[in-house]
Each structure stands twice: as C-alpha cells, then as structure tokens.
Amino acid sequence: MRIVLDESKCSSLGMCESVAPNVFEVGDDGALTVLNPTPPEDQRALMEEAVAACPTGALSIED
Amino acid sequence: MTFVVVGASLAGLRAVEAARKAGYTGRLVLVGAEPHLPYDRPPLSKAFLDPGEPPPVPHHRTQDELDGLDVELRLGSPATGLDTGAREVELADGERLPYERLVLATGAQARHLPGERLPGVHALRTVDDARAVRDALDSGCRTVVVGAGFIGSEVASAARKRDLPVTVLEAAPMPLVRAVGEQMAPACAALHARHGTELRCGVGVTALEGDGRVERVVLSDGQVLPADLVVVGIGADPVTDWLQGSGLELDDGVVCDETLRAGDGVYSAGDVARWHNPQFGRSMRLEHWTSAAEQGAAAARNALDPSNASPYKTVPYFWSDWYTDKLQMVGVPAADEVKVVGDLDGERWVALYRCGDALAGALSLNLPGKIMKYRAMIVRGATWDDALSFAAA
Ligand SMILES: Cc1cc2nc3c(=O)[nH]c(=O)nc-3n(C[C@H](O)[C@H](O)[C@H](O)COP(=O)(O)OP(=O)(O)OC[C@H]3O[C@@H](n4cnc5c(N)ncnc54)[C@H](O)[C@@H]3O)c2cc1C
Ligand code: SF4
C-alpha cells in the first residue's frame, strides 16, 4: 500500500495528521510531509480513515 | 430492509458510503432537495470565488462512483414529512418511502433578511448562490456583505482579490464572539482593515432598496451605502421544519443522544444534528465539515447495529481562508483564560483557551503545522502547562 498525495489539492488543513500523526505531518510552512509513504498493511483501516478525513480529496491509496 | 438517508450533501453521502462499507447490501435510498449530485460547500466561498476561469462544481463523487455504491438517488425531491409510527418518509412528489433505518442529514439553510428579496441580493449556501455571487464579482460591482462571520469574511476576501471596494456590516458590537470568544474576536476582525475591507460593527440593515435590482443598503443609523451586490451571511438554521409532528425532539436541530440516535431506527448527522458530545460533556450542534463527514459515517454504522452503537465524540475543528491568511480553530472557545503566543499584529499567532487546568481550545493564524498538535493535546486531556510549554517551544 502506498499513500499518494496530490500537492495541488492539499491546503494544509491537517486532518490527515490528526488521524495518523505517525504518517502525516504538516510543517510550519503549510507543506504536508508524508512521513511514511508505505505504511504496513495492518494500518490500512487507519489510512482509509485519513483519506476520508481530507476535506480536499488530496490523498489516495495505491496498491 | 430499506435504509433511507435524507439530505444528499456531505453527511448524507458519508452515511451511504459507510453503510456499504459496513457490509449492508439491502436497498439504500439517498433523498436530496437539490437537483445536483452531492458537492462540497467550503470551496464555494473560497476557491470557487477566486478571480480567473470559473472552476468546475466541486462534486464529491461522480455519477459512476455513486452507481458503484448501488444507491437509489432521489434528487430534486425534498422530503416533506416523516411518519415515525408507520416508518415512512414522504417526498414532495407524493412518494412514500418506507424505511427500517433512517439517517436525517438535511443540514442547515441560510438565514435571510426579512423583507423583499431583490435581484442582486444573495445568501451563500448552495452552488447556485455561489455562481450568482461569482458572476456579480466578475462584473466588478460594489459589494456590501451583511454579517461578518466566516462566510461573509471569505466573500469580502474574494472581492478584495479583485481589488473591488467592499464593506462588511455587523449588527453586533464585535463579530465572531460565539465562534472564537470575546478576547480573540477583535484580532480576527482586525484582519479586514489590514486588507482594505471596511468593517462596520453595531449597525443594522433597515432596508435593501433599488429599482428592479438592489442599488443601495439603508443602515439603522440612517446612512445609505451604494451597492450592486449584497451578500447576506447572517448564519444558518438547521433544516427541521419538515420534521414537525414527527414525534422527534427538535431544539435548534434534531436532538440525539451520544450515539446520534434521535428515535427508533432514526439517527441524525451533520449541521442538522444536536447531539451530546462526550468529549466535552455537553450538547452541541456544529456547522463544520469534519464533524459532518464523521457523523454521517458514525450515524449509518450505529443505525445498522444499534446494540453495539458507539458514541461519537470529537474535538471540533474548522478553518477559514481570509485574504492570504488561514485561520484554524480546534476545541471550544468557552474558557477561564485565553493566552496569546505571538504578536497579534504580526503574521502568525496562536491563542490558547484554558478551562480549569486543561487546554480546551486553540485558534491560530497561519500556523498550519501546529494546530493539529493542539487538537491531539485536547483529545488526550493535556494540561494547561503542557500546552503553554509546547507553544513556547
Ligand atoms: C459557503 C460555505 C463555506 C463553508 N466553509 C467551511 C469551512 O471553511 N470549514 C468548515 O469546517 N466548514 C465550512 N462550511 C460548513 C460545511 O460546509 C457544513 O458543515 C457541511 O456542508 C455540512 O454538511 P451536511 O451534509 O450536514 O449539511 P448540508 O451541506 O447543509 O446539506 C444538507 C443537504 O440536505 C438537503 N435538504 C434539506 N432539506 C431537505 C429535505 N427536506 N429533503 C431532502 N433534502 C433536503 C439540502 O438541500 C442539502 O443539500 C461552509 C459552509 C458553507 C455554506
Ligand atoms: S487533510 Fe488533506 S488538505 Fe489537509 S493536510 Fe492532509 S492532505 Fe492536505
């Protein structure tokens, strides 16, 4: 599983970080870093939650 | 079994998606008053109003994606009544939809000024409203915004991005007091002047006048402002009129318990739902994107499995884009003390709200990297001292 970020859509709202702070972090400049773009399979439900939490639809999961 | 969701916007869409995800394979019906496929509202007062090419409607899902959910859409036909005894939803076209499980997600509707509705006067709640406001801004009008809340402030930002003159009127002595508290409201209001918007507080609107379309706004102090576009942003009310007589408890929203249950087989979600939020031990009705999305999913899961229903608790979160600035708020503004870290006249600051010995809320300007860390602190019940030392670091 790979986390894909569409930077053009992300507006640094940070919901993904709120759901999974070990995978996502918004920097002070507003840029989102995907700390771990290939999280282990046992985190799939959490990653799906993070994708759903993003108000701008900037995140997706690729297998 | 039939699962009916009324209200085809964010909360309603998340409800039907969650029902399928939870393994529900029966009949699923999504009823919506608007003819449009579900679309996103926050961009309507932000990117959708930006100068340049008109952007596409921010739909949440395509028709194909909705077909994939195997959901029957009843768009453009509002529900007009609910019979909880017979377990039926009545639609405007006369259809009576039987249900075993029901999620109410009819959201909120913009308040209007009493009196005449002249062309050129708009609320901003739907995509049709947003198109009209956008077209008016594109034609280079003089804009008056009534109500200095978040939506009104975002409309003012859109006008200033086109270098158009804009006046924002606020009936209260200070805007946003309910949203951010008395102490921080002036700091938010001050952003208007910095970007060339005139904000007038403590003044009401007596009349909107014009010959065939709006031409001027008459104020309670007797002054008259010329205007080609008037945007009314004086708040929204939960859409519950159609539920009168249904037996459900209504009190500024559909009253729910902590699992979002409103009645037998009936759950509610989003802007219309007033529920008991265990995180703060009090009843709340939020008009925020995040809670609407989460509640939609939670209400559907609980409706399908009431005996294992889980409470929905949350630390409220909203954001608003003003001019080039990003305001973000987590938690609640009711506080024993508010402490500002940073320079209120500068580009970045955060205000922390203390309740007893705990961090209850945080409001930030242009600190997107910090705000979710405060949210996490509120969730885990961090102490005030912890919050202060994090802010100072
Ligand atoms: C311009 C604007 C900007 C916003 N910006 C932000 C922001 O920056 N951040 C943030 O957190 N939140 C923001 N919000 C709030 C956010 O959009 C709402 O919280 C969210 O849309 C709530 O979703 P909902 O599904 O509960 O209700 P709604 O989106 O109000 O949808 C309810 C739907 O139900 C339909 N309906 C009503 N009555 C009936 C009926 N009788 N039968 C069938 N259907 C019916 C309505 O037509 C509507 O489509 C903004 C809202 C607006 C309008
Ligand atoms: S939730 Fe979405 S918009 Fe917000 S930081 Fe994450 S990816 Fe970006």
Side-chain angles (χ1 to χ4, degrees), chain B residues 41-58:
Chain B
R41 292 185 206 280
L44 298 181
S45 50
K46 303 179 182 73
F48 197 82
L49 299 183
D50 276 349
E53 280 294 297
V57 176

Side-chain angles (χ1 to χ4, degrees), chain B residues 6-12 31-34 41-42 44-46 77-80 105-108 124-125 151 154 239 242 269-272 287-290 292 317-320:
Chain B
V6 184
S9 181
L10 177 61
V31 180
E34 295 178 73
R41 292 185 206 280
L44 298 181
S45 50
K46 303 179 182 73
S77 68
T80 49
T106 45
L124 182 43
R125 181 82 201 173
I151 291 174
E154 291 181 341
V239 180
W242 68 285
D271 286 9
V272 78
E287 293 180 4
H288 301 339
W289 194 98
T290 295
Y317 167 54
F318 71 81
W319 72 95
S320 187

Side-chain angles (χ1 to χ4, degrees), chain A residues 11-15 17-19 25-30 45 48 51-56, chain B residues 14 21 40 289-290 293-294 317 319 326 328 348 366-373 375-376:
Chain A
S11 56
S12 337
L13 297 169
M15 280 310 299
E17 176 178 332
S18 198
V19 172
E25 184 168 31
V26 180
D28 283 336
D29 58 355
E48 285 175 354
V51 169
C54 174
T56 63
Chain B
R14 291 298 176 98
K21 193 151 186 241
D40 205 22
W289 194 98
T290 295
E294 292 174 351
Y317 167 54
W319 72 95
K326 188 178 284 299
Q328 292 171 290
R348 291 184 170 73
N366 297 324
L367 285 172
K370 294 285 184 308
I371 197 75
M372 284 304 154
K373 298 181 173 84
R375 191 172 193 239

Side-chain angles (χ1 to χ4, degrees), chain B residues 318-336:
Chain B
F318 71 81
W319 72 95
S320 187
D321 296 339
W322 291 26
Y323 310 100
T324 49
D325 296 325
K326 188 178 284 299
L327 276 167
Q328 292 171 290
M329 169 101 199
V330 294
V332 291
D336 303 320

